[in-house]
Amino acid sequence: MNTTSVPVIAIDGPTASGKGTVAHRVAERLGFHYLDSGALYRLTALSALRRGIDLKDEHALAKLAAGLPCRFVGEEVWLANENVTAAIRAEEVGNTASKIAALPNVRHALVGLQLGFRTTPGLVADGRDMGTVIFPHAVLKIFLTASVEARAQRRYKQLIDKGFSANMQDLLKDLRERDERDSKRAIAPLKPADDAHVLDTSGMTAEEAVDCVLQHYAEVKKSA
Ligand code: DC
């Protein structure tokens, strides 16, 4: 099937900017599919950590990414026969994901899997390079951001709610390091696409951000 006419809304932004929640709700409101591309990097990271793969062994990591036995079932993420929805959210997994995401062959190995999510009636794709690399012709590109303090607060609450322990100072340090790594890497760095709408959600609720994205999408459809 030719899927190039299937509309894609690309939502990119730094870690803990709220893009997961916003992208998910936008997809729900429109009845679109949802791609959490960060989960693919996290799944690769979790698998690599468990197998004790050297994080500098790009070839082995790319091979692992290319053959990921992953499934998305509603809000659950599965790796082979295991529900890893909570496990991939651990900070160690996120940090490892950010490191291996800088490796060109790992990124390349995950491209086909991501493109496969583009099916009718539409897709909301969440990540770092959705609008710049994976779906450059997305009908709408949003770059969600928020101050590092607001993001650390949100991440703190998320972790505590999920029963993980968390420390604000460590979270701020981790977020700054991860931002630096994600935006300075040579390949597909975190940056808004030239035609993206930048949305600062520091003082917004998730619902306000969702409405804002939906308004932009309504305008896109009106002018199509
Ligand atoms: O969105 P997240 O925190 O779940 O993503 C985990 C890591 O994966 C993030 O630090 C950078 C990387 N990532 C990426 O490089 N490209 C994407 N499209 C999504 C995530």
Side-chain angles (χ1 to χ4, degrees):
M1 187 179 90
N2 178 8
T3 59
T4 51
S5 60
V6 175
V8 176
I9 299 177
I11 303 189
D12 291 302
T15 199
S17 57
K19 68 192 158 43
T21 309
V22 172
H24 201 263
R25 290 194 197 169
V26 168
E28 250 173 22
R29 298 264 292 267
L30 295 171
F32 280 13
H33 299 283
Y34 169 59
L35 164 63
D36 173 4
S37 61
L40 302 178
Y41 291 93
R42 287 173 180 269
L43 281 162
T44 308
L46 178 69
S47 234
L49 288 169
R50 286 181 172 178
R51 292 172 186 219
I53 294 178
D54 180 353
L55 299 182
K56 290 190 195 79
D57 188 346
E58 184 166 355
H59 177 72
L61 292 165
K63 206 168 147 205
L64 191 65
L68 267 188
C70 63
R71 279 183 301 135
F72 291 81
V73 186
E75 296 197 7
E76 292 175 0
V77 184
W78 287 71
L79 189 60
N81 295 325
E82 187 188 350
N83 182 342
V84 292
T85 316
I88 60 164
R89 297 293 150 201
E91 284 303 287
E92 189 197 7
V93 177
N95 278 324
T96 305
S98 161
K99 286 179 193 153
I100 65 171
L103 304 172
N105 288 318
V106 170
R107 304 198 71 82
H108 184 70
L110 292 172
V111 171
L113 193 54
Q114 295 175 81
L115 295 178
F117 279 77
R118 185 177 194 177
T119 52
T120 52
L123 174 69
V124 179
D126 147 7
R128 304 290 188 289
D129 60 343
M130 298 296 97
T132 49
V133 177
I134 305 294
F135 300 110
H137 302 298
V139 290
L140 176 63
K141 299 179 187 178
I142 303 284
F143 191 83
L144 268 198
T145 181
S147 68
V148 72
E149 291 79 12
R151 291 187 285 128
Q153 269 298 338
R154 288 177 192 164
R155 179 52 55 89
Y156 182 85
K157 190 171 174 314
Q158 264 174 7
L159 288 170
I160 298 295
D161 286 351
K162 286 185 178 143
F164 290 111
S165 64
N167 169 297
M168 237 356 227
Q169 289 315 313
D170 290 348
L171 282 177
L172 274 168
K173 183 168 164 282
D174 273 4
L175 281 182
R176 289 195 174 107
E177 282 174 8
R178 215 185 292 182
D179 283 355
E180 170 92 7
R181 206 165 34 230
D182 291 349
S183 45
K184 299 272 164 66
R185 69 182 174 221
I187 178 167
L190 169 69
K191 65 165 185 167
D194 291 339
D195 48 352
H197 299 272
V198 178
L199 196 61
D200 188 327
T201 65
S202 304
M204 275 187 199
T205 63
E207 228 18 70
E208 284 167 341
V210 169
D211 286 341
C212 194
V213 175
L214 289 172
Q215 251 170 34
H216 280 300
Y217 187 59
E219 277 159 30
V220 164
K221 285 215 305 191
K222 219 175 359 175
S223 61

